[in-house]
Structures are given as C-alpha cells and as structure tokens.
Amino acid sequence: MNSPKIHIAFRFHVNFYHSYRGDTPDEKGFGKDIRIIRHIIKTLDNFDRQGINVSGTWDCENYFSLETIIPEYCPDIIEDWKRRVAEGRDEFQIMSYNNGIISAHSAKEFEDVIRWSISNKAKSGLKDIFDSFAPMVRPQEMMFTPIHLKLYPHYGITSVSLFNSALPFNCFSNFVPPLSLVQRYNPLTLSYQGIEETMTLIPAYNTGDLVDNISLARWVKKIRKQQLALKDTKDLLLLIDMDADDEFWVSMDYPIVKKFYSSLQGLEGMIKSLQGLDYIVYTTPGRYIKNHVPVGSIEIRQDTANGSFDGMACWAEKWSNQRLWTGIERSRILELQTLRMLKKNRSKKLRNEIESFSTKSYEQRLRSFSTTHFGLSSPIMNVSRINAANSIVKSSVDNAYQAFTIVKEEVYKKNSHQDFFSILDYARGINTDIIKYPAAPSKGLTKLTLELSREKLSNFTLKDSKGDPVPFDLVFGSETSRTRKANLYYIESVKAEEEKEYQLDFQGPRLKENANQSKLLIGDDLLENEMLSVRFDDAYNFAGLKYKGNDFIERNMLNSAVTYAKHRSEVKEWEPIDCHQRGNGILGVKRMKTELLLKAAGGKKVELKRQFKLAAGLPYLYIDVAVKYPITPYQKYNEERADRLEKAWDGNWIEVMPCEIIPKIIGTDFKHLRVWKHNYFGHVSNYDLNYADFSKNGELDSFNNQVTFSWVAVSDGQRGILIAQTADALSSFAFCPMRTRKEEEKTRIHLNPFGSYYGRQFKYNTASTGLGKAAAFMTFNHLDPFAPSYNGKKQSFSLMIAPYEGDEPPSEIQNDALAFAYPYLVLSDSEIISEPPHRRWQI
C-alpha cells in the first residue's frame, strides 16, 4: 500500500480593481498587482527549472482585470498564464465576470456573469483565453448562498472552495460542527435542505492560518503526524489561498523574524521549507478532486462572505453601501416595470426603440455589483472609487428610466386633465431556465405623492374604476406658496399581475368619517387596529407591540442610539409632531422627533424623526425613520490608510442604531432562534443561531449572514417577527445586522435595520495558536467599525414590521412584504401625481 501524501496547492486570487487603491499602474494602484504576480510566476518557473513542479491555481474576474487592465498594462502576464496552463502546470478557476456581490444577484444577473466568465463577446472568458478551466468556483470574497447549489452545476461548475479559517477572514468554520482532520483537508459534499443538487466543497485556508500555525513547514509536519495516527490513512490537501497582490507572496518586511520563519520569506521560502519531505506533492484543487472523492457531507445554511464577523458587514453596513445599493435596486425595478408594460404592447418596434437604453442600463448595473464598489475596506470607501461607482449606478438608473419612459408614453395614453392613475402588479424578477419568479396576490398600504393646489383640497375624493369612493388618507408634508405636497394613502389589494384603475375626483363630496366602521383607534398613548396594538409612554417612547393580544416587542425595546467614544447614547424621550386618524378610519399616524446628544462629541446632536402607521385590517406596523448625523472632526484614524482612501475619518464613531428592535422572541440552549431570509433569487432559506453548540460563541456582538431582497425574519419556532425594507426609500442587500445577548439559558436577539453593530470578533475552534487572529487585527484593513462612514450623513428608510405565529413566515405575509419592497407600478399622465421615488436616483 502506498504511503498517504499531503498535497499542497497555492491559489492566487486576482483582481486589479481595488476598494482601497486607485486605477494607476503604480504602487498606489494596480502596479502592486503587476509586480507581485510577475514575482509569483517567476518563482514558479524557477522551481520548475529545478525539477520541483509547483503548480499555481488562479481565479480572476474577467471584466476589470482580464478584459480591461491586464491586456493594456501587462499583457506578458496573460501570456505567461497561457503558457503555464498549456504546459499542464497551472489551472484557472471561475470567479465571476464582474467580481460582483454574487449572492445578491438576481437569477438572470447571476447566470449572465457566470456564463460570461466562461466565454463572452469580448473574448475575456476563461475558455476564450485558456481553452480550459477547472470546474470549480472560488467566489469573490467567498460569497455563497444555498441556492447557488442549484445554479453553478447548470454551467458545469460542480465544485466550490470556501475558507475554513481560524481568523476573521473566514467563511464557514463557525457555522458547522468542527470537522475532523480528514474532512478539513479533503473534498466534502455540500448540500442544503430542500435543494436536490449538491456541489463538492474544498476547504481553503489563508495566509493568516499560516501565521496561526507559525510556518508552513510546522503546519505540514503537525498534519503529517496526525495523518499517520489515523487507523484509515488518507491523502490530505492543504490549499493556501490569498490575494495575488498580497506582499506575503514576495516577502514580509520583518528582517529579524523572517530569518527564522520561512512563511515570512514569501512563496519561495515556503516551498524551500518543504524540500526533503518525501510525502509532499504539489497539485491544484482541480487535479486533486479528480482522484479523491468526498469524505463526508456538510450543510452551510448562512449566507457567507469573508468579511468582518464572517459575513456581509464590510459590503453592506457602510453608509455609502446603502446609498449605492438603493440606486441598483431602482435600476432593477425600472427594468421589471418596463417589461410589465411591454406585456400591454408587444410591438417589436417598441422593443427595438428601448433596446439600447435597456442593454446599457443592464451592463452598467452588472459592473456596479463589483464588490470593489462596496469595499472590504473599513471604515470608509476610497473616495475616487465610490465616485466612480456612483457615476456607473446613476447612468444605469438614467438609462433604465429612459427605456421606461419610452414604453410608458406609448402604452399609457390617458387624458391628463382627468387625473386617472393605474396600479399594475408585476413579477418581482425575470424568469430563467433554472429560476422562476411567479407573480402573487398581495395587499398593503399604498402611497402616492400628490402636488395639490389649496383650492382643490376641500372636495377631494378617491374613486375606483366603477366610480365608487375609496377610503383614503392625506398626510401633508412641506408647503410652498402655490402647492402643497401630500402623501395619499389607501389600502390596495391585487391579484397576481392585476391592473386596477382609479380617479382623483375634485368635485366631491368627501366620504363621511368612519363610514367604513373601522376598528382603528388612536390616542396619545395608543395606535391600534383589529390585530395590532402599539403603545407609547408619556415621553412618546415606544412602550410595546401586541399581536392578537400577545407581546411581540416590549417596553423600551424599539429605540434609537449611537455609540460614540465608547459611550452608548440612547434616546430617552420624543417630542410629538402630530397624531391623527383620518381617511374614514383606515389609517392612524403618529409622528415625532427628537435630538440625541453626543456629550463626548462636544455636545453635537443626532436629529431623528420617526413616523408610525397602522392601517385598518392590515397586521403590519409601518415605520418611517429619518436621521441626520452631526459632523464631528476627523480624529483617531490611521494616516497611511487615510492617504490610500483619500479621506480621513473620526474613529470615535463605533455603532449606529437608527431603529434598533429587540423583539420578545426568546431562544434557549435547547431551542435555538432561527433566522429566515429571502434573497434575490426568490429563495427562502434559514439558519439557526446554534453557534455555541460547537464553539465558544455564546454571544454574538454582530452578525450579518442574511442577504435580503425584501424581508428577513426571526423565529423561536412558535412565533416570529418579519422586517421588510422598501426600495422607495433606502435599500440594502443585507439591511439588518443582528446581535445576540445571553440571559442565563435564554438568548435575546437585537435587530438593527440600516445600522451597524461592532464588538468582539468571533472565537475560532480551528485556531492552533491564536497568532493568526492577533496578526489579523494588526494588519487587516477591514476589522474597524463602519460607523465613521455615517459622520455628517443623512438616512431615510421605511420598514414593515409583521409579527406572526409559527416558524417560517406565512406565504401571505411574504407576498405582502415583497410588494412593499418593490412597490406596485403606478401609471398616470396627471400633473398632480408625482413620480414615485424608485424611478430616480441622484449622486
């Protein structure tokens, strides 16, 4: 019997388009990438000439690097890659065409960027350049969501590789029971409940794990000792993965230390340190997997990424992330609504007229998804990069709006003096061969913004297509000398893809108050309908939410706060603006404002406004939040990093909690809380907060592993609470960071929509010495708080809160939340009816 081997693979992650560096061919831009990649190739070639056949594994996005930058500035690198691949030494793996946030793509977007990463019209696909590629994906920033198991295999990509690391540049090690030695270093079958397809998972490790194990040679020898102690010895694969621009591959500049630790002597030092070990075989993951079957099974239920807190925090929780994603969502909505209108006019001529606008918008949107625009860097984005990203997104929205307008003018031709409008439902996604987005019936509180002259107000009535009055409410906002803006609210209920018509009638008479026998009640301390009861105390603080008589949010468990200079400042009282019940009793509104004093910031104040709405017959609480954060001076920042990011910041900002919610949903050590999440593929998945079962993470200061299209929910198995966002206001692909707090054997969850938590990074059972995690805090640029990005900024967002009974949210609530997230299509020629916010986005 042959002695088992330890196979070593080095994988280099290539992306010349950075969130923390610019677009110049020098060390402040992608010149560093050029220098280090050339060094890596030279090192590999030198060992080949010595008879030591060390293979390189590469993954590279296509558009920015393979298609745009490398051919212009360093075509020799592509030629060297082609040579080494043709010689059978190196292999290329899939990333994605746009190095985008792949788990937040829609089905069509995902399928296009994966298809184009293989082959595309610009000939920058892996098959175009190298003729072949390994059927394995190394996702950009290790982003993965369970439905990917159904999607990747459709394109022949049967394997995925993710970090199983011991430091906060990780993917899944804290989300699953500890793996055995053989499982840590071998293929595994990756699955998810309810999805028939599986993929083969290859665990990967990064250079921080090398530091954790002191050196590669020490690590390998330790593994070898454990390997030989097994009753059934097997081959093992140690896959070392890190960015191809990492100085680690050259040599770390610690002269005294690196003299003793070969892992600090770059790729050359690591390879030399293994010379003479006859059980070492150099390989690539693609080759290894051909001859080694999976040794076990694994299920990853979280949405993963290798950022701070092992999740989406780095890309979703900076202020600029939310703002940019809002534009992306509006580009998507305009595309879907344009397609809906085209169902009313199937003219080929009309489709041809909008094709160039639609195509340009779509391609720009795919470019905008680049993780570089959202940035691993903390606490802010590189100024030049975010400016470029804003420009791309605005162009995408503008082009989508041009296409929308052309179709609208052709499809909707009404008499503008009649003040008609139509509401159209539509499918919230584009069907592909793999993923379908069925339209569904829904209902909810619908809003239109009107510009009304004063004299028209007295006899204003809303009527349906039959001429019958419809209960409504007008909530007024700012006033000018000529017009008065008002939000028109009414309760809409539609069938799947239904179209309904309404008229604004100014001849009156208006409906009598309470003509519909509404059970809606409102008072100084109360907002209540048939199912929900919201209470307030004398200071207008939130004092509780009951659903069907049961507490779902308790007193003082919905509030606003900021942690600045290590001190948490929390709102203690609110000043009422107004409260009213109008629209024949269909709507109750309570509006309030306050100022939050930051004593450590010299008395600077956070200005907050919030509005609570309940509608008759709807089991949902709607909350609108507006925040203005004060400008504080730049201090406590890293000057070198600030130079690369082109801007300084105030490091005293630690956390922002514009509308923190702590529901009365309690987990125990025996019955864990469960997070439910709805993503952009229309897939609903879940994961349990059971980390403490197999790690020391009893409390989680922050986690964000829930990519969220429309809603996210938390349940204790018997009841839950769902929170939805709307693209009519601020939007984010992971809008609700969470944290847990232990109370003896009970666990409470804190929800922080459009905010950012901070605290202790996770503990890792995979750690050997703990040095890797310590080194990460000294060298990584993504582990600082993201709250400094909110300094001097404004936020305005809207939430739909839905308590429910059971574990998974009922389908009816899910449908209503989706319609809240992507509002109905409103068509009108009336000058009185303003366009909804989701049709525009400004830089």
Side-chain angles (χ1 to χ4, degrees):
M1 180 178 175
N2 293 329
S3 174
K5 304 294 185 182
I6 296 180
H7 297 247
I8 305 292
F10 297 107
R11 185 165 60 202
F12 313 105
H13 177 62
V14 181
N15 176 19
F16 278 49
Y17 191 64
H18 300 285
S19 62
Y20 49 90
R21 296 207 304 271
D23 295 327
T24 55
D26 54 28
E27 291 294 314
K28 285 192 174 182
F30 52 78
K32 183 181 179 183
D33 303 69
I34 296 172
R35 171 176 60 83
I36 294 177
I37 291 173
R38 282 175 175 163
H39 175 85
I40 291 171
I41 293 172
K42 182 179 178 181
T43 301
L44 295 174
D45 283 344
N46 285 341
F47 278 109
D48 286 343
R49 284 191 285 271
Q50 298 172 39
I52 304 173
N53 297 319
V54 184
S55 297
T57 302
W58 308 83
D59 68 280
C60 182
E61 49 76 28
N62 307 75
Y63 176 77
F64 298 100
S65 297
L66 287 175
E67 184 175 316
T68 308
I69 299 174
I70 298 177
E72 179 176 357
Y73 292 96
C74 50
D76 57 293
I77 286 178
I78 288 185
E79 293 306 312
D80 281 334
W81 279 337
K82 289 168 69 175
R83 169 179 56 80
R84 289 189 59 84
V85 170
E87 292 170 350
R89 301 186 187 283
D90 291 3
E91 76 179 23
F92 263 79
Q93 299 180 353
I94 296 290
M95 190 211 295
S96 65
Y97 177 78
N98 60 346
N99 82 298
I101 303 172
I102 197 67
S103 49
H105 284 47
S106 68
K108 184 179 186 304
E109 292 160 352
F110 175 95
E111 292 184 32
D112 281 343
V113 299
I114 295 303
R115 204 161 36 84
W116 296 346
S117 71
I118 297 170
S119 181
N120 59 65
K121 62 184 179 182
K123 300 300 181 183
S124 64
L126 298 191
K127 193 172 182 180
D128 299 325
I129 298 173
F130 305 110
D131 294 328
S132 65
F133 61 93
M136 181 179 294
V137 60
R138 190 280 194 194
Q140 169 70 344
E141 306 297 4
M142 295 289 171
M143 292 184 179
F144 176 83
T145 189
I147 196 63
H148 285 171
L149 294 171
K150 190 176 185 69
L151 295 160
Y152 281 121
H154 187 75
Y155 293 96
I157 302 166
T158 54
S159 303
V160 61
S161 185
L162 303 170
F163 281 144
N164 180 41
S165 185
L167 60 148
F169 195 66
N170 183 36
C171 195
F172 70 89
S173 67
N174 271 319
F175 304 153
V176 298
L179 302 178
S180 68
L181 175 76
V182 173
Q183 291 173 330
R184 289 201 304 271
Y185 304 108
N186 260 302
L188 300 167
T189 298
L190 179 60
S191 64
Y192 180 81
Q193 56 189 356
I195 297 177
E196 293 182 5
E197 295 83 354
T198 63
M199 294 180 73
T200 299
L201 170 69
I202 294 288
Y205 302 87
N206 56 57
T207 49
D209 294 300
L210 274 174
V211 173
D212 190 66
N213 285 279
I214 310 297
S215 71
L216 180 58
R218 182 180 181 274
W219 192 1
V220 165
K221 290 173 183 177
K222 181 180 72 172
I223 293 174
R224 181 61 172 178
K225 185 176 180 181
Q226 295 170 327
Q227 181 187 35
L228 294 178
L230 296 172
K231 289 183 179 179
D232 181 16
T233 58
K234 291 185 181 295
D235 285 349
L236 303 177
L237 169 66
L238 176 55
L239 171 56
I240 305 297
D241 175 300
M242 184 47 72
D243 292 357
D245 67 333
D246 197 308
E247 208 72 51
F248 193 95
W249 297 119
V250 180
S251 180
M252 301 301 287
D253 190 21
Y254 305 120
I256 298 176
V257 179
K258 76 177 183 181
K259 193 173 175 184
F260 302 100
Y261 296 103
S262 58
S263 293
L264 298 180
Q265 297 171 22
L267 180 61
E268 180 179 5
M270 287 188 284
I271 296 170
K272 284 183 176 180
S273 73
L274 301 182
Q275 286 182 294
L277 302 180
D278 60 1
Y279 51 85
I280 294 296
V281 176
Y282 291 104
T283 189
T284 67
R287 281 183 222 144
Y288 186 86
I289 213 168
K290 287 180 180 179
N291 301 307
H292 296 81
V293 300
V295 298
S297 297
I298 188 173
E299 181 183 61
I300 302 174
R301 296 162 63 184
Q302 285 84 348
D303 295 331
T304 67
N306 60 5
S308 184
F309 302 106
D310 295 3
M312 303 293 171
C314 295
W315 300 275
E317 294 180 22
K318 295 189 283 286
W319 179 86
S320 59
N321 300 155
Q322 299 168 2
R323 186 167 177 274
L324 197 64
W325 194 260
T326 301
I328 288 174
E329 285 289 74
R330 293 182 178 184
S331 169
R332 281 170 159 169
I333 292 176
L334 285 165
E335 177 185 47
L336 293 173
Q337 293 186 350
T338 299
L339 292 173
R340 173 65 178 89
M341 288 189 294
L342 284 172
K343 288 187 175 183
K344 295 167 63 68
N345 186 327
R346 300 181 183 274
S347 163
K348 187 175 181 180
K349 178 177 179 291
L350 184 58
R351 290 182 179 272
N352 290 338
E353 285 181 14
I354 69 167
E355 182 178 4
S356 107
F357 291 115
S358 298
T359 300
K360 190 173 182 181
S361 173
Y362 182 66
E363 291 179 348
Q364 289 167 325
R365 188 166 75 239
L366 291 183
R367 286 173 56 197
S368 72
F369 283 128
S370 170
T371 58
T372 298
H373 294 148
F374 295 84
L376 185 65
S377 66
S378 65
I380 60 173
M381 282 292 300
N382 173 279
V383 172
S384 295
R385 178 64 67 232
I386 197 61
N387 288 343
N390 285 337
S391 179
I392 294 170
V393 171
K394 185 178 187 305
S395 182
S396 178
V397 175
D398 289 348
N399 278 284
Y401 182 74
Q402 286 290 333
F404 176 91
T405 302
I406 292 170
V407 179
K408 175 181 176 291
E409 290 176 353
E410 184 64 31
V411 168
Y412 195 84
K413 295 179 178 177
K414 295 283 184 182
N415 186 338
S416 61
H417 299 293
Q418 295 280 330
D419 294 322
F420 285 95
F421 70 92
S422 294
I423 293 289
L424 284 75
D425 184 55
Y426 55 97
R428 269 63 173 189
I430 298 173
N431 292 337
T432 69
D433 291 341
I434 313 170
I435 301 293
K436 306 301 179 186
Y437 294 88
S442 60
K443 63 181 184 299
L445 186 63
T446 296
K447 179 181 79 172
L448 277 76
T449 299
L450 309 179
E451 295 197 18
L452 298 166
S453 59
R454 296 171 185 269
E455 61 270 18
K456 282 195 171 187
L457 292 176
S458 58
N459 293 319
F460 173 66
T461 302
L462 177 64
K463 293 183 177 180
D464 64 18
S465 59
K466 296 178 181 178
D468 295 330
V470 176
F472 69 93
D473 187 21
L474 285 175
V475 178
F476 294 98
S478 61
E479 186 175 342
T480 68
S481 58
R482 296 182 60 190
T483 63
R484 189 173 188 180
K485 287 186 178 293
N487 288 326
L488 167 68
Y489 291 99
Y490 72 98
I491 298 172
E492 183 61 88
S493 178
V494 299
K495 300 174 184 176
E497 296 199 284
E498 183 180 9
E499 178 177 356
K500 300 174 75 171
E501 188 171 274
Y502 297 89
Q503 181 185 358
L504 308 180
D505 184 359
F506 297 96
Q507 304 305 313
R510 298 188 66 170
L511 282 175
K512 294 181 180 180
E513 292 298 323
N514 298 314
N516 65 347
Q517 301 299 311
S518 169
K519 295 183 179 179
L520 189 89
L521 300 175
I522 188 167
D524 288 341
D525 65 344
L526 176 69
L527 193 57
E528 186 173 275
N529 68 8
E530 298 90 334
M531 289 157 280
L532 294 180
S533 175
V534 184
R535 298 281 177 171
F536 301 88
D537 63 19
D538 292 341
Y540 258 65
N541 291 307
F542 191 88
L545 169 67
K546 290 180 182 289
Y547 172 61
K548 295 183 178 180
N550 296 313
D551 286 324
F552 273 75
I553 304 176
E554 297 174 292
R555 177 180 294 274
N556 298 324
M557 293 301 181
L558 189 156
N559 212 330
S560 303
V562 168
T563 302
Y564 184 89
K566 299 182 180 180
H567 176 73
R568 176 182 166 112
S569 300
E570 188 172 296
V571 172
K572 299 300 182 185
E573 61 180 343
W574 295 81
E575 176 187 343
I577 299 175
D578 63 15
C579 69
H580 69 261
Q581 176 186 343
R582 289 196 301 212
N584 309 102
I586 70 153
L587 184 67
V589 179
K590 294 180 75 72
R591 294 194 289 186
M592 57 201 74
K593 64 181 180 179
T594 192
E595 292 182 336
L596 180 60
L597 180 68
L598 303 180
K599 292 182 180 179
K604 298 272 188 173
K605 296 176 181 178
V606 181
E607 298 176 18
L608 299 110
K609 292 181 180 179
R610 67 185 187 186
Q611 177 175 257
F612 294 91
K613 301 191 295 288
L614 274 188
L618 292 179
Y620 310 131
L621 172 64
Y622 298 93
I623 307 176
D624 303 320
V625 180
V627 189
K628 183 178 179 181
Y629 298 96
I631 299 173
T632 61
Y634 298 151
Q635 53 191 321
K636 295 185 68 175
Y637 63 89
N638 180 289
E639 292 187 5
E640 180 182 353
R641 199 189 314 173
D643 181 58
R644 284 188 281 119
L645 296 174
E646 303 177 60
K647 186 177 181 180
W649 59 89
D650 180 3
N652 285 309
W653 289 86
I654 306 298
E655 296 179 319
V656 291
M657 292 142 287
C659 186
E660 186 179 37
I661 303 169
I662 308 173
K664 192 178 180 182
I665 309 290
I666 310 296
T668 70
D669 293 345
F670 309 101
K671 180 63 176 177
H672 300 292
L673 293 174
R674 177 169 292 168
V675 177
W676 290 88
K677 48 199 170 75
H678 171 243
N679 69 17
Y680 293 91
F681 301 95
H683 184 235
V684 175
S685 59
N686 67 72
Y687 66 94
D688 292 339
L689 296 176
N690 59 350
Y691 299 39
D693 287 353
F694 37 80
S695 73
K696 295 181 180 179
N697 295 298
E699 285 188 336
L700 307 174
D701 281 348
S702 180
F703 63 97
N704 196 343
N705 298 97
Q706 45 278 343
V707 169
T708 311
F709 176 0
S710 57
W711 59 266
V712 66
V714 179
S715 166
D716 62 9
Q718 302 302 314
R719 60 184 192 164
I721 192 163
L722 174 149
I723 304 178
Q725 62 176 338
T726 176
D728 247 352
L730 198 62
S731 185
S732 169
F733 70 89
F735 79 91
C736 192
M738 302 181 187
R739 75 171 13 146
T740 59
R741 286 293 176 257
K742 295 287 289 185
E743 299 172 2
E744 296 180 348
E745 292 184 350
K746 296 180 178 179
T747 301
R748 295 205 73 149
I749 192 160
H750 296 222
L751 311 173
N752 190 11
F754 295 100
S756 184
Y757 285 132
Y758 192 67
R760 299 159 294 182
Q761 295 287 333
F762 295 165
K763 299 179 176 69
Y764 296 93
N765 282 343
T766 45
S768 175
T769 64
L771 290 175
K773 186 175 180 180
F777 279 100
M778 291 189 292
T779 60
F780 284 8
N781 290 332
H782 69 278
L783 299 179
D784 289 342
F786 306 110
S789 68
Y790 294 78
N791 185 357
K793 300 296 194 296
K794 296 179 181 179
Q795 274 186 308
S796 181
F797 59 89
S798 296
L799 306 173
M800 184 185 105
I801 312 296
Y804 64 91
E805 296 173 338
D807 190 5
E808 180 179 359
S811 59
E812 182 181 7
I813 294 178
Q814 293 187 30
N815 293 339
D816 294 349
L818 182 54
F820 176 76
Y822 275 19
Y824 302 119
L825 168 57
V826 178
L827 292 178
S828 177
D829 281 342
S830 172
E831 295 179 357
I832 292 174
I833 300 174
S834 300
E835 288 195 311
H838 61 255
R839 289 190 195 156
R840 293 289 190 175
W841 185 82
Q842 300 298 322
I843 293 179

